Amino acid sequence: ETIYDNVNTNARFGFDWYANEKSTFGIILSGNFSNNDSFSDSRTPIIPNGNITPDQVLIAGSDTEDDITNLYTNINYKYVGNNESSINIDVDYGNYTRDRENFQPNQYFNSDESQIISETINFMITPIEIDLFTAKVDYEQNVLKGKLSLGGKISRVITDNKFDFFDRINGDDILNTDRSNDFKYDENVNALYFNYNRQYEKWNFQFGLRMENTESDGILTSLQEDQNNRDKRSYTNWFPSGGITYQMNQKNSFALTYSKRIQRPNYASLNPFEYKIDELSFSKGNPFLQPQYTDNIKLSHTFNYRLNTSISYSFVKDFFAQITEAVGENQNFLITRNVANQKVINLGISYPTKFSDWWS
């Protein structure tokens, strides 16, 4: 059983200045402040192999307090020129901080839960701070009876995650140096991209290409020297996309599209800290997790602007998912790993219908 008590406060301010009929400046400020408390209790019977009744029962509790501050700032500029040309510039900065404390008593009872056999009490302090900066420029211009879009983007993310694990003994919190550590992650992504779209009689053509260079550095620091490690990466990817649409007649149109995409792990999945669920279970991140790449091709048909049918094929390289792994004979942990390549074939049919004024 888990009980949550959350208090959230949100604030947002936006301002646009129309300097003239071609230029607009804007600013956005927003903040989210939350205090989250959760209380949970769990009961885990421990049954030896070959038995049908438990010889021990673990009664575990968890009392967690989170204080979160999330601040965001955006400055933007838009210029609209002749021939439908335009320039958009965006600069963003965000700061996320979370102070978390978790108190977790664990009591082992005998089989009928009438006597405490042993107990362990843990206390964890796990603050997180994330700084995010992005800047991008987008330009559009009519070219060769079509529309050309060009752009570039720079992003930088710095995260600092601390994990202090304490054993509470006789009311005193003693730092457990075997389970305390610090993880810093720095990621810089630079991208250039273009897209071209043109209509020709019954045909529409679209092609785009995006280049991304990623530099990342993850450093795990522990008081145990054999647990210190560093994962530094540098890689460049190319992501093409394109599509052809054919309007055969007023009622029938066909489309063929292709795209290649990347999905990077979220920062929590990269954080190698252990988060105890109870005495027998915990979760932790994987600093060596690789991004997954998806190639997707799709053929679709639309009839009378209502009946849509499609068939698509996706191939996901280095697909990552959360799995459960055993530790010894009576513990397990959750971790995200690159588990396999994934193939997906999808058939889709949709036909929106209106039965009445209030039901569609």
Side-chain angles (χ1 to χ4, degrees):
E1 178 186 14
T2 303
I3 299 173
Y4 297 97
D5 182 9
N6 303 325
V7 178
N8 292 282
T9 303
N10 296 284
R12 181 179 174 88
F13 169 80
F15 175 78
D16 287 323
W17 176 45
Y18 298 92
N20 52 54
E21 58 184 24
K22 291 186 175 182
S23 296
T24 304
F25 296 85
I27 184 171
I28 298 172
L29 304 173
S30 67
N32 171 262
F33 312 90
S34 62
N35 179 266
N36 308 312
D37 296 325
S38 63
F39 312 91
S40 64
D41 294 300
S42 65
R43 178 181 179 275
T44 306
I46 302 173
I47 305 173
N49 287 332
N51 290 13
I52 59 174
T53 58
D55 64 351
Q56 294 184 60
V57 177
L58 170 62
I59 304 296
S62 180
D63 183 352
T64 303
E65 180 177 345
D66 277 329
D67 291 314
I68 298 174
T69 300
N70 197 356
L71 303 175
Y72 167 75
T73 302
N74 167 267
I75 299 174
N76 57 82
Y77 169 73
K78 182 175 183 178
Y79 174 83
V80 179
N82 300 324
N83 299 321
E84 297 184 9
S85 64
S86 66
I87 297 175
N88 285 276
I89 301 174
D90 281 276
V91 178
D92 301 90
Y93 172 74
N95 175 264
Y96 172 90
T97 59
R98 189 198 73 189
D99 293 320
R100 168 180 282 181
E101 294 184 358
N102 176 243
F103 173 67
Q104 192 174 82
N106 301 272
Q107 295 180 322
Y108 289 88
F109 287 81
N110 58 0
S111 58
D112 61 2
E113 302 181 36
S114 61
Q115 181 180 356
I116 296 178
I117 301 174
S118 63
E119 71 174 5
T120 58
I121 301 176
N122 304 316
F123 181 64
M124 290 155 279
I125 301 177
T126 56
I128 292 177
E129 182 169 6
I130 301 175
D131 287 293
L132 168 67
F133 170 82
T134 66
K136 68 174 182 175
V137 179
D138 293 299
Y139 174 76
E140 287 190 349
Q141 173 73 58
N142 290 335
V143 175
L144 300 175
K145 299 181 180 180
K147 176 155 286 189
L148 175 67
S149 302
L150 302 170
K153 182 177 180 180
I154 299 172
S155 67
R156 177 86 181 273
V157 177
I158 302 174
T159 71
D160 188 2
N161 311 262
K162 295 182 179 179
F163 185 85
D164 290 333
F165 188 97
F166 298 88
D167 296 310
R168 182 163 291 185
I169 302 174
N170 298 325
D172 296 324
D173 293 326
I174 309 300
L175 181 67
N176 188 326
T177 57
D178 291 336
R179 306 185 70 171
S180 300
N181 46 33
D182 182 30
F183 179 65
K184 290 183 171 65
Y185 182 75
D186 190 336
E187 180 183 80
N188 178 225
V189 180
N190 302 310
L192 294 172
Y193 45 88
F194 81 89
N195 186 78
Y196 182 70
N197 190 297
R198 181 181 176 182
Q199 182 81 31
Y200 177 73
E201 296 182 351
K202 295 183 177 182
W203 298 84
N204 181 271
F205 303 92
Q206 177 269 323
F207 173 73
L209 182 64
R210 181 183 182 93
M211 183 277 293
E212 286 188 359
N213 172 258
T214 303
E215 305 279 344
S216 65
D217 191 7
I219 303 175
L220 176 65
T221 304
S222 171
L223 295 176
Q224 303 298 308
E225 293 185 1
D226 59 338
Q227 293 184 12
N228 294 331
N229 54 64
R230 184 174 187 177
D231 183 24
K232 192 172 184 178
R233 303 178 191 173
S234 176
Y235 54 92
T236 300
N237 298 120
W238 299 85
F239 301 102
S241 64
I244 301 174
T245 302
Y246 174 59
Q247 187 72 43
M248 187 173 69
N249 51 46
Q250 188 175 359
K251 291 189 175 182
N252 291 276
S253 65
F254 297 86
L256 178 66
T257 59
Y258 166 79
S259 65
K260 182 181 180 69
R261 295 287 183 266
I262 184 174
Q263 182 178 347
R264 294 181 175 84
N266 61 46
Y267 305 118
S269 297
L270 294 171
N271 189 338
F273 297 168
E274 295 181 4
Y275 176 74
K276 288 178 68 67
I277 301 170
D278 56 37
E279 185 69 1
L280 304 179
S281 304
F282 60 93
S283 64
K284 66 178 182 178
N286 178 7
F288 302 103
L289 195 62
Q290 299 290 329
Q292 67 181 33
Y293 300 87
T294 302
D295 289 272
N296 179 267
I297 187 168
K298 180 179 180 180
L299 176 64
S300 61
H301 170 246
T302 302
F303 175 73
N304 203 24
Y305 301 99
R306 295 180 70 185
L307 175 62
N308 296 280
T309 57
S310 65
I311 184 169
S312 64
Y313 171 79
S314 296
F315 179 80
V316 184
K317 181 182 178 183
D318 292 331
F319 174 74
F320 54 73
Q322 190 178 69
I323 62 174
T324 302
E325 296 187 359
V327 181
E329 296 182 354
N330 62 352
Q331 286 188 321
N332 65 81
F333 66 91
L334 299 173
I335 190 171
T336 303
R337 293 195 185 280
N338 298 102
V339 294
N341 294 332
Q342 182 187 61
K343 300 176 183 178
V344 180
I345 297 175
N346 181 73
L347 174 65
I349 302 174
S350 65
Y351 187 78
T353 303
K354 186 173 183 179
F355 295 103
S356 67
D357 291 339
W358 57 271
W359 183 13
S360 61

